[in-house]
Amino acid sequence: MYDINQVRADFPILARQIYGHPLVYLDNAATTQKPRQVVEAMVDEYYNVNANVHRGVHYLSQQATDLHEASRETVRQFIHAKSTNEILFTRGTTESINLLAFSFGEAFIHSGDEIIVSTLEHHSNIVPWQMLCQRKDAVLKVIPMNDDGRLDLEAYEKLLSEKTRLVCCTHVSNVLGTLNPVHDIIRIAHEHDVPVLIDGAQSVPHMSVDVTALDCDFFAFSGHKVYGPTGVGVLYGKENWLDRMPPYQGGGEMIKNVTFERTTYNALPYKFEAGTPDYVATHALATALDYLTALGMENVHTHEQQLTRYTLQRMSEIEGLHIYGQDHNSVISFQVGNIHHLDLGTLLDRLGIAVRTGHHCAEPLMRRLGIEGTVRASFALYNTQEEVDALVEGIQRVAKMFG
Ligand code: PLP
């Protein structure tokens, strides 16, 4: 069913040697590698189709527009949104959240209002809300985390009040790999008539996502973490919210009519897409999503779950290795004895093993864990048990060096 060798053959970079060792790429939560199909889609579009979208009567412009809008439909289907009006193209999760913080903030946040985030957030789902709170004299509240790395839902319910205007929560933690109970988080918020943003940067690459079934009001993810190109991402929003929100940026494409006295705005989704979009990247993102659909998200999920279980089992053999959190979805953060995470990461690199070290853009979570950083191994659909074995052997070698 799932032919890992065939999958790996689609990713030319995986054949590289690093310092004389085969590359073992385990930094997929930061960015994934790209299959040939995605890169070829970009090359083909630049070589054979390239023209600016939407404004042209000529053949190439219409062809580029068709590809761009077909990509929106591919994204819609992939995350099961109801309408392409709900799919906004952005530069990535970070821009999606900033768009929302600005636009939702302009429409709905006033002095004294409250916004809830969680302890498990990436900085990009903290700082834009902090900035909004500063602008509007609003208050940021934080869902605490239990010692097992799971959010405290009882405390969450108590945080919600008549002042709460928005709940922002990550689907899967980029540090611990925790899959948050987003169904419950959304249901509880809706009982208080509060909308919810889900940060899907670490879920969309690993599991099938249905925003309509989730009933979230907003959902963000990045193209480059889901085998697509850099510089493109998505903000999903329910139409009834997007309709009532003002544009994020002004410029071409987002307007209906402009006079020096007054401008009227375009319909959804264009109201939120000022300027020339990265139409080559949107097409390549759709190619990446088609690639995943052809493999089957269930197969990808099963493969990565097996790999994660295997890693946890192999890591339990390593003396002094401590894993943070207790629920891992393609992400494992750990430390070994008192070896500094930077030293471990640097020495693993010398063996061709790419992991990430540090605070993973989640300093408040590090503070909650009482540490400065971890080593993080994160998996993708092309990783193998042999690569996990290489990681385990690498860690053991480094541990021996440090005595
Ligand atoms: N949210 C989460 C959970 C992430 O893991 C990341 C990136 O690591 C981001 C947001 C930011 O994504 P980007 O840098 O692609 O905007």
Side-chain angles (χ1 to χ4, degrees):
M1 277 268 291
Y2 192 79
D3 184 342
I4 189 74
N5 291 326
Q6 204 179 325
V7 168
R8 287 179 69 82
D10 288 332
F11 293 81
I13 204 169
L14 299 180
R16 274 200 70 176
Q17 299 270 316
I18 305 288
Y19 300 117
H21 300 276
L23 167 67
V24 174
Y25 186 78
L26 299 176
D27 192 19
N28 295 287
T31 200
T32 52
Q33 301 303 343
K34 319 303 170 198
R36 208 182 286 282
Q37 290 85 337
V38 166
V39 179
E40 282 169 2
M42 299 185 84
V43 172
D44 181 60
E45 186 160 2
Y46 275 127
Y47 278 166
N48 298 310
V49 183
N50 183 52
N52 207 333
V53 290
H54 294 142
R55 288 179 288 273
V57 291
H58 61 81
Y59 188 91
L60 287 184
S61 175
Q62 288 184 8
Q63 200 179 355
T65 303
D66 288 348
L67 286 175
H68 180 63
E69 291 306 328
S71 306
R72 204 187 299 275
E73 170 61 17
T74 302
V75 172
R76 183 197 72 72
Q77 286 181 23
F78 196 78
I79 62 169
H80 303 276
K82 284 187 183 139
S83 157
T84 48
N85 290 347
E86 301 174 320
I87 306 295
L88 314 183
F89 284 123
T90 64
R91 285 194 305 119
T93 307
T94 303
E95 191 179 56
S96 295
I97 297 174
N98 276 278
L99 185 164
L100 186 65
F102 176 83
S103 178
F104 185 92
E106 280 304 292
F108 300 113
I109 301 295
H110 303 98
S111 175
D113 286 348
E114 294 174 0
I115 296 167
I116 295 178
V117 298
S118 93
T119 306
L120 284 166
E121 301 312 310
H122 187 281
H123 293 162
S124 63
N125 205 19
I126 300 173
V127 183
W129 304 116
Q130 250 171 3
M131 291 163 70
L132 172 62
C133 286
Q134 274 165 15
R135 281 199 306 275
K136 296 284 182 166
D137 191 26
V139 181
L140 195 68
K141 299 252 164 157
V142 184
I143 310 171
M145 184 187 81
N146 293 321
D147 289 339
D148 63 2
R150 295 187 171 94
L151 293 178
D152 181 343
L153 283 196
E154 268 180 40
Y156 164 57
E157 281 212 69
K158 288 188 192 131
L159 282 182
L160 282 151
S161 77
E162 73 284 354
K163 291 184 191 158
T164 313
R165 294 290 167 266
L166 184 67
V167 172
C168 309
C169 185
T170 191
H171 202 168
V172 171
S173 160
N174 69 309
V175 178
L176 306 179
T178 317
L179 174 63
N180 283 323
V182 285
H183 274 107
D184 292 331
I185 288 168
I186 293 162
R187 178 183 49 76
I188 293 166
H190 285 177
E191 283 166 12
H192 292 75
D193 289 327
V194 173
V196 179
L197 158 72
I198 299 297
D199 173 351
Q202 299 296 345
S203 61
V204 171
H206 308 292
M207 56 192 69
S208 51
V209 167
D210 184 330
V211 291
T212 303
L214 274 178
D215 200 25
C216 56
D217 302 272
F218 304 100
F219 187 96
F221 70 96
S222 296
H224 70 100
K225 292 185 198 284
V226 64
Y227 311 99
T230 48
V232 67
V234 171
L235 177 65
Y236 159 84
K238 282 183 183 166
E239 273 192 80
N240 72 330
W241 285 111
L242 296 179
D243 272 336
R244 290 180 287 153
M245 286 162 42
Y248 172 49
Q249 294 180 327
E253 210 57 53
M254 49 75 73
I255 55 95
K256 200 185 280 167
N257 295 107
V258 180
T259 65
F260 281 115
E261 288 70 38
R262 186 167 171 269
T263 292
T264 52
Y265 303 130
N266 206 342
L268 290 176
Y270 309 109
K271 181 173 89 172
F272 290 101
E273 294 180 352
T276 301
D278 193 339
Y279 50 84
V280 176
T282 56
H283 172 48
L285 170 60
T287 309
L289 300 182
D290 284 341
Y291 182 85
L292 279 166
T293 302
L295 280 182
M297 276 317 285
E298 289 308 317
N299 296 329
V300 169
H301 185 64
T302 305
H303 172 75
E304 292 185 19
Q305 290 286 97
Q306 281 168 354
L307 207 57
T308 305
R309 272 198 301 275
Y310 179 70
T311 311
L312 293 171
Q313 180 213 320
R314 290 285 340 255
M315 281 185 164
S316 69
E317 298 163 14
I318 303 175
E319 217 183 296
L321 187 143
H322 177 75
I323 294 172
Y324 293 92
Q326 287 182 12
D327 173 29
H328 306 283
N329 288 272
S330 302
V331 176
I332 300 177
S333 260
F334 59 95
Q335 279 190 336
V336 183
N338 52 13
I339 306 173
H340 196 275
H341 50 85
L342 247 179
D343 292 335
L344 182 51
T346 306
L347 290 165
L348 287 174
D349 176 54
R350 288 282 155 171
L351 302 170
I353 302 165
V355 290
R356 191 144 292 246
T357 61
H359 56 57
H360 315 295
C361 296
E363 284 189 26
L365 173 56
M366 291 297 128
R367 207 153 295 131
R368 167 66 180 82
L369 294 169
I371 54 178
E372 275 177 24
T374 71
V375 180
R376 182 185 72 185
S378 54
F379 303 115
L381 53 83
Y382 39 66
N383 289 124
T384 63
Q385 291 203 351
E386 291 71 30
E387 290 182 308
V388 173
D389 292 337
L391 171 69
V392 169
E393 278 155 34
I395 296 169
Q396 280 166 334
R397 258 176 86 167
V398 176
K400 218 180 216 167
M401 276 172 59
F402 279 78

